[in-house]
Amino acid sequence: MLRPKIPTNPMPTGVVTPPAVIEPTTVIRHPAAPAAVAPAPARPTVQLTPGAVVALLGGGTAVVLVVGAVLVSMLLAVAITGASLAICALVIRSLITADAKRH
């Protein structure tokens, strides 16, 4: 159905063209003209009003609390999973040893 097409490389003909001769050009230096320095545009300064400061503090606090809650819940999930696996391992080990003592 699908057949790959293998590219065919042409065989070398044996005719080699000589490389083109590149002649160096002379560089003429002109006297340097004084560069005009444009004044940097004045950047507007950010002015924080008391309301904006309160909003920034509230938003930052909310972000910290949310990220902290997510991280603590993930840590708790890992701890619970580890504890349950340890309990399962103890139960399985005790079942295997009890079965081995009966035979």
Side-chain angles (χ1 to χ4, degrees):
M1 187 166 95
L2 296 174
R3 294 184 183 176
K5 292 184 179 179
I6 301 172
T8 57
N9 294 330
M11 297 298 293
T13 59
V15 177
V16 179
T17 58
V21 178
I22 300 174
E23 296 182 12
T25 58
T26 58
V27 177
I28 301 172
R29 295 185 183 257
H30 294 286
V37 177
R43 298 173 70 188
T45 58
V46 177
Q47 296 179 356
L48 293 177
T49 61
V53 171
V54 170
L56 284 175
L57 288 176
T61 303
V63 167
V64 167
L65 289 176
V66 168
V67 170
V70 168
L71 291 178
V72 167
S73 64
M74 289 172 63
L75 179 65
L76 185 62
V78 169
I80 291 172
T81 304
S84 64
L85 284 174
I87 291 171
C88 288
L90 289 175
V91 169
I92 290 172
R93 187 177 73 172
S94 67
L95 288 174
I96 290 174
T97 56
D99 188 39
K101 286 182 182 178
R102 265 192 262 159
H103 290 109

Coordinates of all heavy atoms in Angstrom, one line a residue:
M1 N 0.8 -1.2 0.0 CA 0.0 0.0 0.0 C 0.9 1.3 0.0 O 0.8 2.1 -0.9 CB -0.9 0.0 1.2 CG -1.9 1.1 1.2 SD -3.2 0.8 2.4 CE -2.5 1.7 3.8
L2 N 1.7 1.4 1.0 CA 2.6 2.5 1.1 C 4.0 2.0 0.8 O 4.6 1.2 1.5 CB 2.6 3.2 2.4 CG 1.2 3.8 2.8 CD1 1.3 4.3 4.3 CD2 0.9 4.9 1.9
R3 N 4.6 2.5 -0.3 CA 6.0 2.1 -0.6 C 6.9 3.3 -0.5 O 6.6 4.4 -1.1 CB 6.0 1.6 -2.1 CG 5.2 0.3 -2.2 CD 5.4 -0.2 -3.6 NE 4.6 -1.4 -3.7 CZ 4.4 -2.1 -4.8 NH1 5.0 -1.7 -5.9 NH2 3.7 -3.2 -4.9
P4 N 7.9 3.2 0.3 CA 8.8 4.4 0.4 C 9.6 4.6 -0.9 O 10.0 3.7 -1.6 CB 9.8 4.0 1.5 CG 9.7 2.5 1.5 CD 8.4 2.1 1.1
K5 N 9.8 5.9 -1.2 CA 10.6 6.2 -2.4 C 12.0 6.5 -1.9 O 12.3 7.3 -1.1 CB 10.0 7.5 -3.0 CG 8.6 7.3 -3.6 CD 8.2 8.5 -4.3 CE 6.8 8.3 -4.9 NZ 6.3 9.5 -5.6
I6 N 12.9 5.7 -2.5 CA 14.3 5.8 -2.2 C 14.9 6.8 -3.1 O 14.8 6.7 -4.3 CB 15.0 4.5 -2.3 CG1 14.4 3.5 -1.3 CG2 16.5 4.6 -2.0 CD1 14.9 2.1 -1.5
P7 N 15.5 7.9 -2.6 CA 16.1 8.9 -3.5 C 17.3 8.3 -4.2 O 18.1 7.5 -3.7 CB 16.5 10.0 -2.5 CG 16.7 9.3 -1.2 CD 15.7 8.2 -1.2
T8 N 17.4 8.7 -5.5 CA 18.6 8.2 -6.3 C 19.6 9.4 -6.4 O 19.2 10.5 -6.7 CB 18.1 7.8 -7.7 OG1 17.4 9.0 -8.3 CG2 17.1 6.7 -7.6
N9 N 20.8 9.1 -6.1 CA 21.9 10.0 -6.2 C 22.5 9.9 -7.6 O 22.9 8.9 -8.0 CB 22.9 9.8 -5.1 CG 22.4 10.0 -3.7 OD1 21.5 10.8 -3.5 ND2 22.9 9.3 -2.7
P10 N 22.6 11.1 -8.2 CA 23.3 11.0 -9.6 C 24.7 10.6 -9.4 O 25.4 11.0 -8.5 CB 23.1 12.4 -10.1 CG 22.9 13.3 -8.9 CD 22.3 12.4 -7.9
M11 N 25.2 9.9 -10.4 CA 26.6 9.5 -10.4 C 27.5 10.7 -10.8 O 27.1 11.5 -11.6 CB 26.8 8.4 -11.4 CG 26.1 7.1 -11.1 SD 26.6 6.4 -9.5 CE 28.2 5.9 -9.9
P12 N 28.7 10.8 -10.2 CA 29.6 11.9 -10.5 C 30.0 11.8 -12.0 O 30.3 10.7 -12.5 CB 30.8 11.8 -9.6 CG 30.6 10.4 -8.9 CD 29.2 10.0 -9.1
T13 N 30.1 12.9 -12.7 CA 30.4 12.9 -14.1 C 31.9 12.9 -14.4 O 32.3 12.6 -15.5 CB 29.7 14.1 -14.8 OG1 30.2 15.3 -14.2 CG2 28.2 14.0 -14.7
G14 N 32.7 13.3 -13.4 CA 34.1 13.4 -13.6 C 34.5 14.8 -14.1 O 35.7 15.1 -14.1
V15 N 33.6 15.6 -14.5 CA 33.9 17.0 -15.0 C 33.9 17.9 -13.7 O 32.9 18.0 -13.1 CB 33.0 17.5 -16.0 CG1 33.3 18.9 -16.5 CG2 33.0 16.5 -17.2
V16 N 35.0 18.5 -13.5 CA 35.1 19.4 -12.3 C 35.3 20.8 -12.8 O 36.2 21.1 -13.6 CB 36.3 18.9 -11.4 CG1 36.3 19.9 -10.2 CG2 36.1 17.5 -10.9
T17 N 34.5 21.7 -12.3 CA 34.6 23.1 -12.7 C 35.6 23.8 -11.7 O 35.5 23.5 -10.5 CB 33.3 23.9 -12.7 OG1 32.7 23.7 -11.4 CG2 32.3 23.3 -13.7
P18 N 36.5 24.6 -12.2 CA 37.4 25.3 -11.3 C 36.7 26.3 -10.4 O 35.7 26.8 -10.8 CB 38.4 25.9 -12.2 CG 37.7 26.1 -13.5 CD 36.7 25.0 -13.6
P19 N 37.2 26.4 -9.2 CA 36.5 27.4 -8.3 C 36.7 28.8 -8.8 O 37.7 29.1 -9.5 CB 37.3 27.2 -7.0 CG 38.6 26.6 -7.3 CD 38.4 25.8 -8.6
A20 N 35.7 29.6 -8.5 CA 35.8 31.0 -9.0 C 36.9 31.8 -8.2 O 37.0 31.6 -7.0 CB 34.4 31.7 -8.8
V21 N 37.6 32.7 -8.9 CA 38.6 33.4 -8.3 C 38.0 34.7 -7.7 O 37.3 35.4 -8.3 CB 39.7 33.8 -9.3 CG1 40.8 34.7 -8.6 CG2 40.3 32.6 -9.9
I22 N 38.2 34.9 -6.4 CA 37.7 36.0 -5.7 C 38.8 37.0 -5.4 O 39.8 36.7 -4.8 CB 37.0 35.6 -4.3 CG1 35.9 34.6 -4.6 CG2 36.5 36.8 -3.6 CD1 35.3 34.0 -3.4
E23 N 38.7 38.2 -6.0 CA 39.7 39.2 -5.8 C 39.3 40.1 -4.6 O 38.2 40.5 -4.5 CB 39.8 40.1 -7.1 CG 40.3 39.3 -8.3 CD 40.5 40.1 -9.5 OE1 40.5 41.4 -9.3 OE2 40.6 39.5 -10.6
P24 N 40.3 40.4 -3.8 CA 40.0 41.3 -2.6 C 39.7 42.7 -3.1 O 40.2 43.2 -4.0 CB 41.3 41.2 -1.8 CG 42.3 40.9 -2.7 CD 41.7 40.0 -3.8
T25 N 38.8 43.3 -2.3 CA 38.4 44.7 -2.6 C 39.1 45.6 -1.6 O 39.3 45.2 -0.5 CB 36.9 44.9 -2.6 OG1 36.4 44.5 -1.3 CG2 36.2 44.1 -3.7
T26 N 39.3 46.8 -1.9 CA 39.9 47.8 -1.0 C 38.8 48.4 -0.2 O 37.7 48.7 -0.7 CB 40.7 48.9 -1.7 OG1 39.8 49.5 -2.6 CG2 41.8 48.2 -2.5
V27 N 39.1 48.7 1.1 CA 38.1 49.3 2.0 C 38.5 50.7 2.2 O 39.7 51.0 2.6 CB 38.1 48.5 3.4 CG1 37.2 49.2 4.3 CG2 37.7 47.1 3.1
I28 N 37.6 51.6 1.9 CA 37.9 53.1 2.1 C 37.2 53.5 3.3 O 36.0 53.4 3.5 CB 37.4 53.9 0.8 CG1 38.1 53.4 -0.4 CG2 37.6 55.3 1.0 CD1 37.5 53.9 -1.7
R29 N 38.0 54.1 4.2 CA 37.4 54.6 5.5 C 37.1 56.0 5.4 O 37.9 56.8 4.9 CB 38.4 54.3 6.6 CG 38.7 52.9 6.9 CD 39.5 52.7 8.1 NE 39.9 51.3 8.3 CZ 39.3 50.5 9.2 NH1 38.4 51.0 10.0 NH2 39.6 49.3 9.3
H30 N 35.9 56.4 5.8 CA 35.5 57.8 5.8 C 35.7 58.3 7.2 O 35.6 57.6 8.2 CB 34.0 57.9 5.4 CG 33.8 57.5 4.0 ND1 34.2 58.3 2.9 CD2 33.2 56.4 3.4 CE1 33.8 57.7 1.8 NE2 33.3 56.5 2.1
P31 N 35.9 59.6 7.3 CA 36.1 60.2 8.7 C 34.8 60.0 9.4 O 33.7 60.2 8.9 CB 36.4 61.6 8.4 CG 36.1 61.9 7.0 CD 36.1 60.6 6.3
A32 N 34.9 59.6 10.7 CA 33.7 59.4 11.5 C 33.0 60.7 11.8 O 33.6 61.7 12.2 CB 34.1 58.7 12.8
A33 N 31.7 60.6 11.5 CA 30.8 61.8 11.8 C 30.3 61.7 13.2 O 30.1 60.6 13.7 CB 29.7 61.8 10.8
P34 N 30.2 62.8 13.9 CA 29.7 62.7 15.3 C 28.3 62.2 15.3 O 27.5 62.7 14.6 CB 29.9 64.2 15.8 CG 29.9 65.0 14.6 CD 30.5 64.2 13.5
A35 N 28.1 61.2 16.1 CA 26.7 60.6 16.2 C 25.9 61.5 17.1 O 26.3 61.9 18.2 CB 26.8 59.2 16.8
A36 N 24.7 61.8 16.7 CA 23.8 62.5 17.5 C 23.1 61.6 18.5 O 22.6 60.6 18.1 CB 22.7 63.2 16.6
V37 N 23.2 62.0 19.7 CA 22.6 61.1 20.8 C 21.2 61.6 21.1 O 21.0 62.7 21.5 CB 23.5 61.2 22.1 CG1 22.9 60.4 23.2 CG2 24.9 60.7 21.8
A38 N 20.3 60.7 20.8 CA 18.9 61.1 21.1 C 18.6 60.9 22.6 O 19.0 59.9 23.2 CB 18.0 60.2 20.3
P39 N 17.9 61.8 23.2 CA 17.6 61.6 24.6 C 16.6 60.5 24.8 O 15.8 60.2 24.0 CB 16.9 63.0 25.0 CG 16.4 63.5 23.7 CD 17.3 63.0 22.6
A40 N 16.9 59.7 25.9 CA 16.1 58.6 26.2 C 14.7 59.0 26.6 O 14.5 60.0 27.3 CB 16.7 57.8 27.3
P41 N 13.6 58.4 26.0 CA 12.3 58.8 26.4 C 12.0 58.5 27.9 O 12.5 57.5 28.5 CB 11.4 57.9 25.5 CG 12.2 56.7 25.2 CD 13.6 57.2 25.2
A42 N 11.4 59.5 28.5 CA 11.1 59.3 29.9 C 10.0 58.3 30.1 O 9.0 58.3 29.5 CB 10.6 60.7 30.5
R43 N 10.4 57.3 31.0 CA 9.4 56.2 31.3 C 8.5 56.7 32.4 O 8.9 57.3 33.3 CB 10.2 55.0 31.8 CG 11.1 54.4 30.7 CD 12.0 53.3 31.2 NE 11.2 52.2 31.4 CZ 11.6 51.1 32.0 NH1 12.9 51.0 32.5 NH2 10.8 50.0 32.2
P44 N 7.2 56.4 32.2 CA 6.2 56.8 33.2 C 6.5 56.0 34.5 O 6.7 54.8 34.5 CB 4.9 56.4 32.6 CG 5.2 55.4 31.6 CD 6.6 55.7 31.1
T45 N 6.4 56.7 35.6 CA 6.6 56.0 36.9 C 5.3 55.4 37.3 O 4.2 55.9 37.1 CB 7.1 57.0 37.9 OG1 6.2 58.1 38.0 CG2 8.5 57.6 37.5
V46 N 5.4 54.3 38.0 CA 4.3 53.6 38.5 C 3.9 54.2 39.9 O 4.7 54.2 40.8 CB 4.5 52.1 38.7 CG1 3.3 51.4 39.3 CG2 4.9 51.5 37.3
Q47 N 2.7 54.7 40.0 CA 2.3 55.3 41.2 C 1.3 54.4 41.9 O 0.2 54.0 41.3 CB 1.6 56.6 41.0 CG 2.6 57.6 40.4 CD 2.0 59.0 40.1 OE1 0.8 59.1 40.3 NE2 2.8 59.9 39.7
L48 N 1.6 54.0 43.1 CA 0.7 53.0 43.8 C -0.2 53.9 44.8 O 0.4 54.6 45.6 CB 1.5 52.0 44.6 CG 2.3 51.0 43.8 CD1 3.1 50.1 44.6 CD2 1.3 50.2 42.9
T49 N -1.4 53.7 44.6 CA -2.4 54.3 45.6 C -2.5 53.4 46.8 O -2.2 52.2 46.7 CB -3.7 54.6 44.9 OG1 -4.3 53.3 44.5 CG2 -3.5 55.5 43.7
P50 N -3.0 53.9 47.9 CA -3.3 53.0 49.0 C -4.2 51.9 48.7 O -4.0 50.7 49.2 CB -3.9 54.0 50.1 CG -3.4 55.3 49.7 CD -3.3 55.3 48.2
G51 N -5.2 52.1 47.9 CA -6.1 51.0 47.5 C -5.4 49.9 46.7 O -5.6 48.7 46.8
A52 N -4.5 50.4 45.8 CA -3.7 49.4 45.0 C -2.8 48.6 45.9 O -2.6 47.4 45.7 CB -2.9 50.1 43.9
V53 N -2.2 49.2 46.9 CA -1.3 48.5 47.8 C -2.1 47.4 48.6 O -1.7 46.3 48.7 CB -0.6 49.5 48.8 CG1 0.2 48.7 49.9 CG2 0.3 50.4 48.0
V54 N -3.3 47.8 49.0 CA -4.1 46.8 49.8 C -4.5 45.7 48.8 O -4.5 44.5 49.2 CB -5.4 47.5 50.4 CG1 -6.4 46.6 50.9 CG2 -4.9 48.5 51.4
A55 N -4.9 46.0 47.6 CA -5.2 45.0 46.6 C -4.1 44.0 46.4 O -4.3 42.8 46.3 CB -5.8 45.6 45.3
L56 N -2.9 44.6 46.2 CA -1.7 43.7 46.0 C -1.4 42.8 47.2 O -1.1 41.7 47.0 CB -0.5 44.6 45.7 CG -0.4 45.2 44.3 CD1 0.8 46.1 44.2 CD2 -0.3 44.1 43.2
L57 N -1.5 43.4 48.4 CA -1.3 42.6 49.6 C -2.3 41.5 49.7 O -2.0 40.3 50.0 CB -1.3 43.5 50.8 CG 0.0 44.3 51.0 CD1 -0.2 45.2 52.2 CD2 1.2 43.5 51.1
G58 N -3.6 41.8 49.4 CA -4.7 40.8 49.5 C -4.5 39.7 48.5 O -4.6 38.5 48.8
G59 N -4.1 40.1 47.2 CA -3.9 39.1 46.2 C -2.7 38.2 46.5 O -2.8 37.0 46.3
G60 N -1.6 38.8 47.0 CA -0.5 38.0 47.3 C -0.8 37.0 48.4 O -0.3 35.9 48.4
T61 N -1.5 37.5 49.4 CA -1.9 36.6 50.5 C -2.7 35.5 50.1 O -2.5 34.3 50.5 CB -2.6 37.4 51.6 OG1 -1.8 38.5 52.0 CG2 -2.9 36.6 52.8
A62 N -3.7 35.8 49.2 CA -4.6 34.7 48.7 C -3.8 33.7 47.9 O -4.0 32.5 48.0 CB -5.7 35.3 47.8
V63 N -2.8 34.1 47.1 CA -2.0 33.2 46.3 C -1.2 32.3 47.2 O -1.1 31.1 47.0 CB -1.1 34.0 45.3 CG1 0.0 33.1 44.7 CG2 -1.9 34.6 44.2
V64 N -0.6 32.9 48.2 CA 0.2 32.1 49.2 C -0.6 31.1 49.9 O -0.2 29.9 50.1 CB 1.0 33.1 50.2 CG1 1.5 32.3 51.3 CG2 2.0 33.8 49.5
L65 N -1.8 31.5 50.3 CA -2.7 30.5 51.0 C -3.1 29.4 50.1 O -3.2 28.2 50.5 CB -3.9 31.3 51.6 CG -3.6 32.2 52.8 CD1 -4.8 33.0 53.2 CD2 -3.0 31.4 53.9
V66 N -3.5 29.7 48.9 CA -3.9 28.7 48.0 C -2.8 27.7 47.6 O -3.0 26.5 47.7 CB -4.5 29.3 46.7 CG1 -4.7 28.2 45.6 CG2 -5.8 30.0 47.0
V67 N -1.6 28.2 47.3 CA -0.5 27.4 47.0 C -0.1 26.5 48.2 O 0.2 25.3 48.1 CB 0.7 28.2 46.5 CG1 2.0 27.4 46.4 CG2 0.4 28.8 45.2
G68 N -0.1 27.1 49.4 CA 0.2 26.4 50.6 C -0.8 25.3 50.9 O -0.4 24.1 51.2
A69 N -2.1 25.5 50.6 CA -3.1 24.5 50.9 C -2.9 23.3 49.9 O -3.1 22.2 50.2 CB -4.5 25.1 50.7
V70 N -2.6 23.7 48.6 CA -2.4 22.6 47.6 C -1.2 21.8 48.0 O -1.3 20.5 47.9 CB -2.3 23.2 46.2 CG1 -1.8 22.2 45.2 CG2 -3.6 23.8 45.8
L71 N -0.1 22.4 48.4 CA 1.1 21.6 48.8 C 0.9 20.8 50.0 O 1.3 19.6 50.0 CB 2.3 22.6 49.0 CG 2.8 23.3 47.7 CD1 3.9 24.3 48.1 CD2 3.2 22.3 46.7
V72 N 0.2 21.3 51.0 CA -0.1 20.5 52.2 C -1.0 19.3 51.9 O -0.8 18.2 52.4 CB -0.7 21.4 53.3 CG1 -1.3 20.6 54.4 CG2 0.4 22.4 53.8
S73 N -2.0 19.5 51.0 CA -2.9 18.4 50.7 C -2.2 17.3 49.9 O -2.4 16.1 50.1 CB -4.1 18.9 49.9 OG -3.7 19.5 48.7
M74 N -1.2 17.8 49.0 CA -0.4 16.8 48.3 C 0.5 16.0 49.2 O 0.6 14.8 49.1 CB 0.4 17.5 47.2 CG -0.4 18.0 46.0 SD 0.5 19.0 44.9 CE 1.7 17.8 44.3
L75 N 1.1 16.7 50.2 CA 1.9 16.0 51.2 C 1.1 15.0 52.0 O 1.5 13.9 52.3 CB 2.6 17.0 52.1 CG 3.5 16.5 53.2 CD1 4.7 15.8 52.5 CD2 4.0 17.6 54.1
L76 N -0.1 15.4 52.4 CA -1.0 14.6 53.2 C -1.4 13.3 52.4 O -1.4 12.2 52.9 CB -2.2 15.3 53.6 CG -3.2 14.6 54.6 CD1 -2.5 14.3 55.9 CD2 -4.4 15.5 54.8
A77 N -1.7 13.5 51.1 CA -2.0 12.4 50.3 C -0.9 11.4 50.1 O -1.1 10.2 50.2 CB -2.5 12.9 48.9
V78 N 0.3 11.9 50.0 CA 1.5 11.0 49.9 C 1.7 10.3 51.2 O 2.0 9.0 51.3 CB 2.7 11.8 49.5 CG1 4.0 10.9 49.7 CG2 2.6 12.3 48.1
A79 N 1.5 10.9 52.4 CA 1.7 10.3 53.7 C 0.6 9.2 53.9 O 0.9 8.1 54.4 CB 1.6 11.4 54.8
I80 N -0.6 9.5 53.5 CA -1.7 8.5 53.7 C -1.4 7.3 52.8 O -1.6 6.1 53.3 CB -3.1 9.1 53.4 CG1 -3.4 10.2 54.5 CG2 -4.2 8.1 53.3 CD1 -4.6 11.0 54.3
T81 N -1.0 7.5 51.6 CA -0.7 6.4 50.7 C 0.4 5.6 51.2 O 0.3 4.3 51.2 CB -0.4 7.0 49.3 OG1 -1.4 7.8 48.8 CG2 -0.1 5.8 48.3
G82 N 1.5 6.2 51.7 CA 2.6 5.4 52.3 C 2.2 4.6 53.5 O 2.6 3.5 53.7
A83 N 1.4 5.2 54.4 CA 0.9 4.5 55.6 C 0.0 3.3 55.2 O 0.2 2.2 55.8 CB 0.2 5.4 56.5
S84 N -0.8 3.5 54.2 CA -1.7 2.4 53.9 C -0.9 1.3 53.2 O -1.2 0.1 53.4 CB -2.8 2.9 52.9 OG -2.3 3.4 51.7
L85 N 0.1 1.6 52.4 CA 0.9 0.6 51.8 C 1.7 -0.2 52.8 O 1.9 -1.4 52.7 CB 1.9 1.2 50.8 CG 1.3 1.6 49.4 CD1 2.3 2.3 48.6 CD2 0.8 0.4 48.7
A86 N 2.2 0.5 53.9 CA 2.9 -0.1 54.9 C 2.0 -1.1 55.7 O 2.4 -2.2 56.0 CB 3.5 0.9 55.9
I87 N 0.8 -0.7 55.9 CA -0.2 -1.6 56.6 C -0.5 -2.8 55.8 O -0.5 -3.9 56.3 CB -1.5 -0.8 57.0 CG1 -1.1 0.2 58.1 CG2 -2.6 -1.8 57.5 CD1 -2.3 1.2 58.4
C88 N -0.7 -2.6 54.5 CA -0.9 -3.7 53.6 C 0.2 -4.7 53.5 O 0.1 -5.9 53.5 CB -1.2 -3.2 52.2 SG -2.8 -2.4 52.0
A89 N 1.4 -4.1 53.6 CA 2.6 -5.0 53.5 C 2.7 -5.8 54.8 O 3.1 -7.0 54.8 CB 3.9 -4.2 53.4
L90 N 2.4 -5.2 55.9 CA 2.4 -6.0 57.2 C 1.3 -7.1 57.2 O 1.6 -8.2 57.7 CB 2.2 -5.0 58.4 CG 3.3 -4.1 58.7 CD1 2.9 -3.1 59.8 CD2 4.5 -4.9 59.1
V91 N 0.2 -6.8 56.7 CA -0.9 -7.8 56.7 C -0.5 -9.0 55.8 O -0.7 -10.1 56.1 CB -2.2 -7.2 56.3 CG1 -3.3 -8.2 56.0 CG2 -2.7 -6.2 57.3
I92 N 0.0 -8.6 54.6 CA 0.4 -9.7 53.6 C 1.5 -10.5 54.2 O 1.5 -11.8 54.1 CB 0.8 -9.1 52.3 CG1 -0.5 -8.5 51.6 CG2 1.5 -10.1 51.4 CD1 -0.2 -7.7 50.4
R93 N 2.5 -9.9 54.9 CA 3.6 -10.7 55.5 C 3.1 -11.6 56.6 O 3.5 -12.7 56.7 CB 4.6 -9.7 56.0 CG 5.9 -10.4 56.5 CD 6.9 -9.5 57.0 NE 6.5 -8.9 58.3 CZ 7.3 -8.1 59.0 NH1 8.5 -7.8 58.6 NH2 6.8 -7.7 60.2
S94 N 2.2 -11.1 57.4 CA 1.6 -12.0 58.4 C 0.8 -13.1 57.9 O 0.8 -14.2 58.4 CB 0.8 -11.2 59.4 OG -0.4 -10.7 58.8
L95 N 0.1 -12.9 56.8 CA -0.7 -14.0 56.2 C 0.3 -15.0 55.6 O 0.0 -16.2 55.7 CB -1.6 -13.4 55.1 CG -2.8 -12.6 55.5 CD1 -3.5 -12.0 54.3 CD2 -3.7 -13.5 56.4
I96 N 1.4 -14.6 55.0 CA 2.3 -15.5 54.4 C 3.0 -16.3 55.4 O 3.2 -17.5 55.3 CB 3.3 -14.8 53.5 CG1 2.6 -14.2 52.2 CG2 4.5 -15.7 53.1 CD1 3.5 -13.3 51.4
T97 N 3.4 -15.7 56.6 CA 4.1 -16.4 57.6 C 3.1 -17.4 58.3 O 3.5 -18.5 58.7 CB 4.7 -15.5 58.6 OG1 3.7 -14.6 59.2 CG2 5.9 -14.7 58.0
A98 N 1.9 -17.0 58.5 CA 0.9 -17.9 59.1 C 0.6 -19.1 58.3 O 0.5 -20.2 58.8 CB -0.4 -17.1 59.4
D99 N 0.6 -18.9 56.9 CA 0.4 -20.0 56.0 C 1.5 -20.9 56.0 O 1.4 -22.1 55.9 CB 0.1 -19.4 54.6 CG -0.4 -20.5 53.6 OD1 -1.1 -21.4 54.1 OD2 0.0 -20.5 52.5
A100 N 2.8 -20.4 56.1 CA 3.9 -21.2 56.1 C 4.1 -22.0 57.4 O 4.6 -23.2 57.4 CB 5.2 -20.3 55.9
K101 N 3.6 -21.5 58.5 CA 3.6 -22.3 59.8 C 2.7 -23.5 59.8 O 2.8 -24.4 60.5 CB 3.3 -21.4 61.0 CG 4.5 -20.4 61.3 CD 4.1 -19.6 62.5 CE 5.2 -18.6 62.7 NZ 4.9 -17.7 63.9
R102 N 1.5 -23.3 59.0 CA 0.5 -24.4 59.0 C 1.0 -25.6 58.3 O 0.6 -26.7 58.6 CB -0.8 -23.9 58.4 CG -1.7 -23.4 59.4 CD -3.1 -23.2 58.8 NE -3.2 -21.7 58.5 CZ -4.0 -21.2 57.7 NH1 -4.8 -21.9 57.0 NH2 -4.0 -19.9 57.5
H103 N 1.9 -25.5 57.3 CA 2.3 -26.6 56.5 C 3.5 -27.2 57.0 O 4.4 -27.1 57.4 CB 2.5 -26.2 55.0 CG 1.2 -25.9 54.4 ND1 0.8 -24.6 54.0 CD2 0.1 -26.7 54.0 CE1 -0.4 -24.6 53.4 NE2 -0.8 -25.9 53.4

